[in-house]
Amino acid sequence: MSTYLSQVWQLLRNYVRDISLQEMPKTTSVETKVGLSPGKSIKVNKSVKFAQGNLQEDSWFQRLQESLEKWTISNSSLTSKIGDRISGPLPSELCLKVCDRQMHEEIYDLLGTGALKLEIVNQIMELVANSQKIDPKLLFWRLEDFYRRWCQGEFIDATPDDNLPQKTKLKLATQNIAIGLRQVDIYTGLNVLILLLELHRYAQEQDELKEKITFYPSAQPDTDNFFTSQLLRIINYSDALDIGNFSSIVGQFLKGGNFRSAYLGDANLTGADFSGADLSLAYLGDANLTGVNFIGANLSGANFGDANLSGANLTGANLTGADLSSTNLSGANLSCANLSRADLNRADLSSTNLSRADLSRADLSRADLSSTNLNRADLSNAILFGANLSEANLNNVNLNHADLCRADLSGADLSHAILNGTNLSDTILFSTNLSDAILMAADLSYAKLNGAKLNNARLNGAMFLGADLSGVDLSRVSLNEADLSGVILSEADLSGADLTDAILFGTDFSYANLNSANLSGSNLSGAILNGANLSHSNLSYAILSGADLSDANMEKMTWGKKQQWEGVRGLKTAVNVPEALKEELGLN
């Protein structure tokens, strides 16, 4: 019987509770969805609704303004020395109108119901900037002291009698506002963090404040503890409510912040705004930085190993010496970024915008740069061993003395590029556009150049050992003093090319177009020129011993008066041999 009565009583209690919920006033400021099982999370609306209607919102802001003014009223001369303070607790000698305990209660009361909206934060900062009753230095000092205590869990870990989050939760419950204990604590701390970030940014624009207000959200780095992990603990604490909670609340206020040497490994910072921020020497390995705004940020020496930076905006960012190995930068914008000496080994840079970026001396070994825009980028002395640059835009790029050994440049646009002294040995250059490129003293040994365009290129002193240039467009190319020994140039277009003093020992020119080419002073010993078009070409002082000219077109060709023709093969089958040469060689 007792079990039956217990069940009936439980049903009645549930019924009464449901009626009460239906009659709850609709001015509730925080919407909640509570699960009955302990394993289910509580989801709270992140947008703050401080009051219903403009009157109540004005009333809340009026209370906040009065509190901000009271918090900075002091009768002590110590306030003039606030700028000398670096960190630590407030000095006991400081005489304040509102004591710490009262201020902390007011902070939880005013900021514990939800996340501050951008427009509210802007109003607060406008008030701080224009009010004669608010001392920005003292306000920063006191809020920073609260933030330090909050980070250490002082308020939520306090005994029930002194537990401010719990007191605030119970107070809100009397107003029919259902909110969890952690929500109150997290919203309060994050809102104070937002105000500190904004005070820091405001102060850095004021000459009289920039040295006195400096905020380190992750604590100030020191020599004893190289990395600081305070901010990471806050992120993880906040995200315990909902994944991405920190980023969605605080993310838009991180711009211009000081995060030097912060440890943020594995952090979820999707979509955050770090524009103009200082993250030098920070650790962000394995972090989720998808779509993050890093415009103009200082990321020098930072570690991004294995991080996800896809779609991130790093325009103009300073990444000198940064570790970006194995990072995902696909679709990111790195235009005008400084990546000199950066480690991009095995990084995914596919479809990335690197136009005008500085990649000098960067390590891009085996990186994926397919379909990447590198227009006018500086890659001088960069290491690109085995990198994938297929279909990439390398127009006007500087690759002086870069190492591109075994790289894939098939279909890439290298027109007007500068590759002086560049290592292109064993590189794939199928259908690559190298027109008007400068490749003086470049090493193209064993390069695969089928279908490549090298018209108007300058290849003075370049090496082509074992390279296959058959069918390649080399019209009007400059190859004087180049070493093309043993190179295959069959059916290549060398019309108008400059091959003066080139080493062409055993080179295969069969059926190549050498119309109007300048071969004066070149060494063509053992060269194969059968079927080649030598019309209007200049062979003055060229060495032709053992060369094969069978079926070659020698129309209007120029040769030297003391030209040596001994050992030249195929002259009898050559076509359009000038009459004067026939007489000289006794071919009539």
Side-chain angles (χ1 to χ4, degrees), residues 501-532:
D501 301 311
I503 303 171
L504 304 166
F505 187 82
T507 303
D508 185 356
F509 286 105
S510 54
Y511 300 99
N513 182 6
L514 286 152
N515 176 263
S516 301
N518 188 355
L519 292 148
S520 60
S522 62
N523 186 349
L524 284 155
S525 301
I528 303 169
L529 290 150
N530 63 296

PDB file of all heavy atoms in Angstrom, residues 501-532:
ATOM      1  N   ASP A 501      77.742  29.758 -78.174  1.00  0.00           N
ATOM      2  CA  ASP A 501      78.707  29.167 -77.239  1.00  0.00           C
ATOM      3  C   ASP A 501      78.097  28.082 -76.346  1.00  0.00           C
ATOM      4  O   ASP A 501      78.655  27.756 -75.288  1.00  0.00           O
ATOM      5  CB  ASP A 501      79.350  30.244 -76.365  1.00  0.00           C
ATOM      6  CG  ASP A 501      80.076  31.306 -77.184  1.00  0.00           C
ATOM      7  OD1 ASP A 501      80.855  30.924 -78.059  1.00  0.00           O
ATOM      8  OD2 ASP A 501      79.825  32.501 -76.934  1.00  0.00           O
ATOM      9  N   ALA A 502      76.966  27.535 -76.744  1.00  0.00           N
ATOM     10  CA  ALA A 502      76.337  26.463 -75.969  1.00  0.00           C
ATOM     11  C   ALA A 502      77.076  25.144 -76.194  1.00  0.00           C
ATOM     12  O   ALA A 502      77.685  24.915 -77.245  1.00  0.00           O
ATOM     13  CB  ALA A 502      74.878  26.311 -76.364  1.00  0.00           C
ATOM     14  N   ILE A 503      77.019  24.288 -75.172  1.00  0.00           N
ATOM     15  CA  ILE A 503      77.627  22.956 -75.279  1.00  0.00           C
ATOM     16  C   ILE A 503      76.524  21.994 -75.710  1.00  0.00           C
ATOM     17  O   ILE A 503      75.611  21.693 -74.930  1.00  0.00           O
ATOM     18  CB  ILE A 503      78.241  22.527 -73.928  1.00  0.00           C
ATOM     19  CG1 ILE A 503      79.276  23.567 -73.469  1.00  0.00           C
ATOM     20  CG2 ILE A 503      78.878  21.149 -74.037  1.00  0.00           C
ATOM     21  CD1 ILE A 503      79.761  23.346 -72.053  1.00  0.00           C
ATOM     22  N   LEU A 504      76.612  21.530 -76.956  1.00  0.00           N
ATOM     23  CA  LEU A 504      75.561  20.718 -77.556  1.00  0.00           C
ATOM     24  C   LEU A 504      76.120  19.369 -78.007  1.00  0.00           C
ATOM     25  O   LEU A 504      75.685  18.798 -79.005  1.00  0.00           O
ATOM     26  CB  LEU A 504      74.938  21.474 -78.739  1.00  0.00           C
ATOM     27  CG  LEU A 504      74.378  22.879 -78.390  1.00  0.00           C
ATOM     28  CD1 LEU A 504      74.095  23.677 -79.650  1.00  0.00           C
ATOM     29  CD2 LEU A 504      73.104  22.740 -77.561  1.00  0.00           C
ATOM     30  N   PHE A 505      77.050  18.854 -77.234  1.00  0.00           N
ATOM     31  CA  PHE A 505      77.713  17.609 -77.579  1.00  0.00           C
ATOM     32  C   PHE A 505      76.709  16.452 -77.551  1.00  0.00           C
ATOM     33  O   PHE A 505      76.123  16.129 -76.517  1.00  0.00           O
ATOM     34  CB  PHE A 505      78.849  17.337 -76.589  1.00  0.00           C
ATOM     35  CG  PHE A 505      79.698  16.165 -76.936  1.00  0.00           C
ATOM     36  CD1 PHE A 505      80.737  16.276 -77.861  1.00  0.00           C
ATOM     37  CD2 PHE A 505      79.468  14.928 -76.358  1.00  0.00           C
ATOM     38  CE1 PHE A 505      81.525  15.186 -78.183  1.00  0.00           C
ATOM     39  CE2 PHE A 505      80.257  13.832 -76.685  1.00  0.00           C
ATOM     40  CZ  PHE A 505      81.283  13.953 -77.602  1.00  0.00           C
ATOM     41  N   GLY A 506      76.491  15.821 -78.733  1.00  0.00           N
ATOM     42  CA  GLY A 506      75.588  14.684 -78.838  1.00  0.00           C
ATOM     43  C   GLY A 506      74.115  15.023 -78.647  1.00  0.00           C
ATOM     44  O   GLY A 506      73.284  14.122 -78.431  1.00  0.00           O
ATOM     45  N   THR A 507      73.765  16.283 -78.724  1.00  0.00           N
ATOM     46  CA  THR A 507      72.364  16.706 -78.528  1.00  0.00           C
ATOM     47  C   THR A 507      71.510  16.255 -79.715  1.00  0.00           C
ATOM     48  O   THR A 507      71.934  16.318 -80.869  1.00  0.00           O
ATOM     49  CB  THR A 507      72.283  18.237 -78.370  1.00  0.00           C
ATOM     50  OG1 THR A 507      73.126  18.625 -77.278  1.00  0.00           O
ATOM     51  CG2 THR A 507      70.860  18.682 -78.098  1.00  0.00           C
ATOM     52  N   ASP A 508      70.292  15.815 -79.421  1.00  0.00           N
ATOM     53  CA  ASP A 508      69.382  15.329 -80.464  1.00  0.00           C
ATOM     54  C   ASP A 508      68.460  16.457 -80.898  1.00  0.00           C
ATOM     55  O   ASP A 508      67.517  16.835 -80.188  1.00  0.00           O
ATOM     56  CB  ASP A 508      68.561  14.149 -79.921  1.00  0.00           C
ATOM     57  CG  ASP A 508      67.674  13.525 -80.986  1.00  0.00           C
ATOM     58  OD1 ASP A 508      67.641  14.045 -82.122  1.00  0.00           O
ATOM     59  OD2 ASP A 508      66.982  12.533 -80.658  1.00  0.00           O
ATOM     60  N   PHE A 509      68.738  17.030 -82.110  1.00  0.00           N
ATOM     61  CA  PHE A 509      67.919  18.088 -82.699  1.00  0.00           C
ATOM     62  C   PHE A 509      67.089  17.554 -83.874  1.00  0.00           C
ATOM     63  O   PHE A 509      66.635  18.329 -84.708  1.00  0.00           O
ATOM     64  CB  PHE A 509      68.804  19.227 -83.226  1.00  0.00           C
ATOM     65  CG  PHE A 509      69.389  20.105 -82.150  1.00  0.00           C
ATOM     66  CD1 PHE A 509      70.740  19.997 -81.810  1.00  0.00           C
ATOM     67  CD2 PHE A 509      68.616  21.042 -81.498  1.00  0.00           C
ATOM     68  CE1 PHE A 509      71.300  20.818 -80.837  1.00  0.00           C
ATOM     69  CE2 PHE A 509      69.169  21.866 -80.526  1.00  0.00           C
ATOM     70  CZ  PHE A 509      70.509  21.755 -80.191  1.00  0.00           C
ATOM     71  N   SER A 510      66.886  16.260 -83.944  1.00  0.00           N
ATOM     72  CA  SER A 510      66.206  15.697 -85.121  1.00  0.00           C
ATOM     73  C   SER A 510      64.814  16.316 -85.288  1.00  0.00           C
ATOM     74  O   SER A 510      64.019  16.353 -84.350  1.00  0.00           O
ATOM     75  CB  SER A 510      66.104  14.176 -84.997  1.00  0.00           C
ATOM     76  OG  SER A 510      65.492  13.792 -83.785  1.00  0.00           O
ATOM     77  N   TYR A 511      64.611  16.846 -86.523  1.00  0.00           N
ATOM     78  CA  TYR A 511      63.327  17.463 -86.914  1.00  0.00           C
ATOM     79  C   TYR A 511      62.935  18.654 -86.027  1.00  0.00           C
ATOM     80  O   TYR A 511      61.770  19.061 -85.969  1.00  0.00           O
ATOM     81  CB  TYR A 511      62.197  16.425 -86.916  1.00  0.00           C
ATOM     82  CG  TYR A 511      62.462  15.306 -87.886  1.00  0.00           C
ATOM     83  CD1 TYR A 511      62.987  14.087 -87.440  1.00  0.00           C
ATOM     84  CD2 TYR A 511      62.244  15.469 -89.256  1.00  0.00           C
ATOM     85  CE1 TYR A 511      63.271  13.063 -88.326  1.00  0.00           C
ATOM     86  CE2 TYR A 511      62.527  14.440 -90.156  1.00  0.00           C
ATOM     87  CZ  TYR A 511      63.039  13.245 -89.687  1.00  0.00           C
ATOM     88  OH  TYR A 511      63.320  12.232 -90.586  1.00  0.00           O
ATOM     89  N   ALA A 512      63.925  19.228 -85.342  1.00  0.00           N
ATOM     90  CA  ALA A 512      63.653  20.428 -84.546  1.00  0.00           C
ATOM     91  C   ALA A 512      63.598  21.643 -85.452  1.00  0.00           C
ATOM     92  O   ALA A 512      64.194  21.669 -86.532  1.00  0.00           O
ATOM     93  CB  ALA A 512      64.744  20.615 -83.494  1.00  0.00           C
ATOM     94  N   ASN A 513      62.896  22.664 -85.000  1.00  0.00           N
ATOM     95  CA  ASN A 513      62.786  23.915 -85.754  1.00  0.00           C
ATOM     96  C   ASN A 513      63.820  24.894 -85.219  1.00  0.00           C
ATOM     97  O   ASN A 513      63.654  25.465 -84.141  1.00  0.00           O
ATOM     98  CB  ASN A 513      61.379  24.500 -85.618  1.00  0.00           C
ATOM     99  CG  ASN A 513      61.212  25.788 -86.429  1.00  0.00           C
ATOM    100  OD1 ASN A 513      62.103  26.188 -87.177  1.00  0.00           O
ATOM    101  ND2 ASN A 513      60.068  26.430 -86.263  1.00  0.00           N
ATOM    102  N   LEU A 514      64.923  25.072 -85.978  1.00  0.00           N
ATOM    103  CA  LEU A 514      66.000  25.976 -85.589  1.00  0.00           C
ATOM    104  C   LEU A 514      66.054  27.179 -86.525  1.00  0.00           C
ATOM    105  O   LEU A 514      67.102  27.811 -86.699  1.00  0.00           O
ATOM    106  CB  LEU A 514      67.336  25.238 -85.604  1.00  0.00           C
ATOM    107  CG  LEU A 514      67.552  24.249 -84.433  1.00  0.00           C
ATOM    108  CD1 LEU A 514      68.487  23.127 -84.843  1.00  0.00           C
ATOM    109  CD2 LEU A 514      68.083  24.972 -83.213  1.00  0.00           C
ATOM    110  N   ASN A 515      64.916  27.521 -87.101  1.00  0.00           N
ATOM    111  CA  ASN A 515      64.839  28.652 -88.017  1.00  0.00           C
ATOM    112  C   ASN A 515      65.287  29.938 -87.307  1.00  0.00           C
ATOM    113  O   ASN A 515      64.800  30.261 -86.221  1.00  0.00           O
ATOM    114  CB  ASN A 515      63.395  28.806 -88.519  1.00  0.00           C
ATOM    115  CG  ASN A 515      63.222  30.025 -89.410  1.00  0.00           C
ATOM    116  OD1 ASN A 515      62.800  31.069 -88.947  1.00  0.00           O
ATOM    117  ND2 ASN A 515      63.541  29.869 -90.676  1.00  0.00           N
ATOM    118  N   SER A 516      66.264  30.620 -87.933  1.00  0.00           N
ATOM    119  CA  SER A 516      66.796  31.891 -87.416  1.00  0.00           C
ATOM    120  C   SER A 516      67.484  31.740 -86.068  1.00  0.00           C
ATOM    121  O   SER A 516      67.700  32.729 -85.358  1.00  0.00           O
ATOM    122  CB  SER A 516      65.685  32.954 -87.320  1.00  0.00           C
ATOM    123  OG  SER A 516      65.097  33.181 -88.585  1.00  0.00           O
ATOM    124  N   ALA A 517      67.828  30.512 -85.672  1.00  0.00           N
ATOM    125  CA  ALA A 517      68.532  30.297 -84.399  1.00  0.00           C
ATOM    126  C   ALA A 517      69.989  30.708 -84.553  1.00  0.00           C
ATOM    127  O   ALA A 517      70.585  30.588 -85.620  1.00  0.00           O
ATOM    128  CB  ALA A 517      68.433  28.846 -83.981  1.00  0.00           C
ATOM    129  N   ASN A 518      70.569  31.200 -83.452  1.00  0.00           N
ATOM    130  CA  ASN A 518      71.981  31.597 -83.442  1.00  0.00           C
ATOM    131  C   ASN A 518      72.781  30.523 -82.727  1.00  0.00           C
ATOM    132  O   ASN A 518      72.725  30.398 -81.509  1.00  0.00           O
ATOM    133  CB  ASN A 518      72.143  32.950 -82.744  1.00  0.00           C
ATOM    134  CG  ASN A 518      73.560  33.487 -82.871  1.00  0.00           C
ATOM    135  OD1 ASN A 518      74.448  32.813 -83.404  1.00  0.00           O
ATOM    136  ND2 ASN A 518      73.772  34.698 -82.386  1.00  0.00           N
ATOM    137  N   LEU A 519      73.555  29.728 -83.520  1.00  0.00           N
ATOM    138  CA  LEU A 519      74.360  28.633 -82.990  1.00  0.00           C
ATOM    139  C   LEU A 519      75.856  28.930 -83.103  1.00  0.00           C
ATOM    140  O   LEU A 519      76.692  28.024 -83.008  1.00  0.00           O
ATOM    141  CB  LEU A 519      74.034  27.341 -83.736  1.00  0.00           C
ATOM    142  CG  LEU A 519      72.628  26.768 -83.501  1.00  0.00           C
ATOM    143  CD1 LEU A 519      72.117  26.064 -84.739  1.00  0.00           C
ATOM    144  CD2 LEU A 519      72.652  25.813 -82.326  1.00  0.00           C
ATOM    145  N   SER A 520      76.201  30.199 -83.291  1.00  0.00           N
ATOM    146  CA  SER A 520      77.610  30.556 -83.493  1.00  0.00           C
ATOM    147  C   SER A 520      78.439  30.242 -82.254  1.00  0.00           C
ATOM    148  O   SER A 520      78.020  30.503 -81.116  1.00  0.00           O
ATOM    149  CB  SER A 520      77.731  32.051 -83.830  1.00  0.00           C
ATOM    150  OG  SER A 520      77.206  32.845 -82.775  1.00  0.00           O
ATOM    151  N   GLY A 521      79.591  29.649 -82.485  1.00  0.00           N
ATOM    152  CA  GLY A 521      80.505  29.328 -81.397  1.00  0.00           C
ATOM    153  C   GLY A 521      80.088  28.140 -80.552  1.00  0.00           C
ATOM    154  O   GLY A 521      80.778  27.786 -79.585  1.00  0.00           O
ATOM    155  N   SER A 522      79.000  27.491 -80.909  1.00  0.00           N
ATOM    156  CA  SER A 522      78.532  26.346 -80.118  1.00  0.00           C
ATOM    157  C   SER A 522      79.293  25.079 -80.493  1.00  0.00           C
ATOM    158  O   SER A 522      79.863  24.973 -81.572  1.00  0.00           O
ATOM    159  CB  SER A 522      77.033  26.131 -80.324  1.00  0.00           C
ATOM    160  OG  SER A 522      76.750  25.840 -81.675  1.00  0.00           O
ATOM    161  N   ASN A 523      79.276  24.121 -79.574  1.00  0.00           N
ATOM    162  CA  ASN A 523      79.926  22.835 -79.814  1.00  0.00           C
ATOM    163  C   ASN A 523      78.859  21.810 -80.158  1.00  0.00           C
ATOM    164  O   ASN A 523      78.149  21.325 -79.287  1.00  0.00           O
ATOM    165  CB  ASN A 523      80.718  22.398 -78.584  1.00  0.00           C
ATOM    166  CG  ASN A 523      81.528  21.148 -78.833  1.00  0.00           C
ATOM    167  OD1 ASN A 523      81.371  20.474 -79.852  1.00  0.00           O
ATOM    168  ND2 ASN A 523      82.400  20.810 -77.893  1.00  0.00           N
ATOM    169  N   LEU A 524      78.737  21.483 -81.454  1.00  0.00           N
ATOM    170  CA  LEU A 524      77.728  20.547 -81.956  1.00  0.00           C
ATOM    171  C   LEU A 524      78.351  19.197 -82.299  1.00  0.00           C
ATOM    172  O   LEU A 524      77.811  18.441 -83.115  1.00  0.00           O
ATOM    173  CB  LEU A 524      77.039  21.135 -83.185  1.00  0.00           C
ATOM    174  CG  LEU A 524      76.000  22.248 -82.904  1.00  0.00           C
ATOM    175  CD1 LEU A 524      75.851  23.152 -84.109  1.00  0.00           C
ATOM    176  CD2 LEU A 524      74.658  21.628 -82.528  1.00  0.00           C
ATOM    177  N   SER A 525      79.461  18.877 -81.675  1.00  0.00           N
ATOM    178  CA  SER A 525      80.128  17.610 -81.960  1.00  0.00           C
ATOM    179  C   SER A 525      79.183  16.448 -81.698  1.00  0.00           C
ATOM    180  O   SER A 525      78.627  16.308 -80.600  1.00  0.00           O
ATOM    181  CB  SER A 525      81.378  17.453 -81.090  1.00  0.00           C
ATOM    182  OG  SER A 525      82.281  18.510 -81.303  1.00  0.00           O
ATOM    183  N   GLY A 526      79.014  15.605 -82.712  1.00  0.00           N
ATOM    184  CA  GLY A 526      78.167  14.426 -82.583  1.00  0.00           C
ATOM    185  C   GLY A 526      76.687  14.736 -82.452  1.00  0.00           C
ATOM    186  O   GLY A 526      75.887  13.826 -82.151  1.00  0.00           O
ATOM    187  N   ALA A 527      76.281  15.992 -82.677  1.00  0.00           N
ATOM    188  CA  ALA A 527      74.866  16.353 -82.571  1.00  0.00           C
ATOM    189  C   ALA A 527      74.067  15.738 -83.706  1.00  0.00           C
ATOM    190  O   ALA A 527      74.566  15.537 -84.815  1.00  0.00           O
ATOM    191  CB  ALA A 527      74.705  17.868 -82.571  1.00  0.00           C
ATOM    192  N   ILE A 528      72.808  15.421 -83.433  1.00  0.00           N
ATOM    193  CA  ILE A 528      71.911  14.843 -84.435  1.00  0.00           C
ATOM    194  C   ILE A 528      70.992  15.948 -84.939  1.00  0.00           C
ATOM    195  O   ILE A 528      70.144  16.456 -84.192  1.00  0.00           O
ATOM    196  CB  ILE A 528      71.091  13.682 -83.834  1.00  0.00           C
ATOM    197  CG1 ILE A 528      72.025  12.619 -83.261  1.00  0.00           C
ATOM    198  CG2 ILE A 528      70.157  13.094 -84.880  1.00  0.00           C
ATOM    199  CD1 ILE A 528      71.312  11.573 -82.418  1.00  0.00           C
ATOM    200  N   LEU A 529      71.161  16.327 -86.214  1.00  0.00           N
ATOM    201  CA  LEU A 529      70.382  17.413 -86.796  1.00  0.00           C
ATOM    202  C   LEU A 529      69.615  16.931 -88.025  1.00  0.00           C
ATOM    203  O   LEU A 529      69.204  17.745 -88.862  1.00  0.00           O
ATOM    204  CB  LEU A 529      71.317  18.573 -87.181  1.00  0.00           C
ATOM    205  CG  LEU A 529      71.920  19.349 -85.999  1.00  0.00           C
ATOM    206  CD1 LEU A 529      73.281  19.913 -86.357  1.00  0.00           C
ATOM    207  CD2 LEU A 529      70.981  20.475 -85.586  1.00  0.00           C
ATOM    208  N   ASN A 530      69.404  15.613 -88.143  1.00  0.00           N
ATOM    209  CA  ASN A 530      68.717  15.120 -89.329  1.00  0.00           C
ATOM    210  C   ASN A 530      67.272  15.615 -89.353  1.00  0.00           C
ATOM    211  O   ASN A 530      66.558  15.581 -88.361  1.00  0.00           O
ATOM    212  CB  ASN A 530      68.752  13.585 -89.382  1.00  0.00           C
ATOM    213  CG  ASN A 530      68.033  12.944 -88.217  1.00  0.00           C
ATOM    214  OD1 ASN A 530      68.439  13.101 -87.075  1.00  0.00           O
ATOM    215  ND2 ASN A 530      66.951  12.212 -88.516  1.00  0.00           N
ATOM    216  N   GLY A 531      66.882  16.133 -90.529  1.00  0.00           N
ATOM    217  CA  GLY A 531      65.519  16.640 -90.703  1.00  0.00           C
ATOM    218  C   GLY A 531      65.263  17.958 -90.018  1.00  0.00           C
ATOM    219  O   GLY A 531      64.135  18.474 -90.040  1.00  0.00           O
ATOM    220  N   ALA A 532      66.297  18.541 -89.376  1.00  0.00           N
ATOM    221  CA  ALA A 532      66.093  19.803 -88.658  1.00  0.00           C
ATOM    222  C   ALA A 532      65.975  20.961 -89.629  1.00  0.00           C
ATOM    223  O   ALA A 532      66.537  20.942 -90.724  1.00  0.00           O
ATOM    224  CB  ALA A 532      67.256  20.047 -87.697  1.00  0.00           C
TER     225      ALA A 532
END
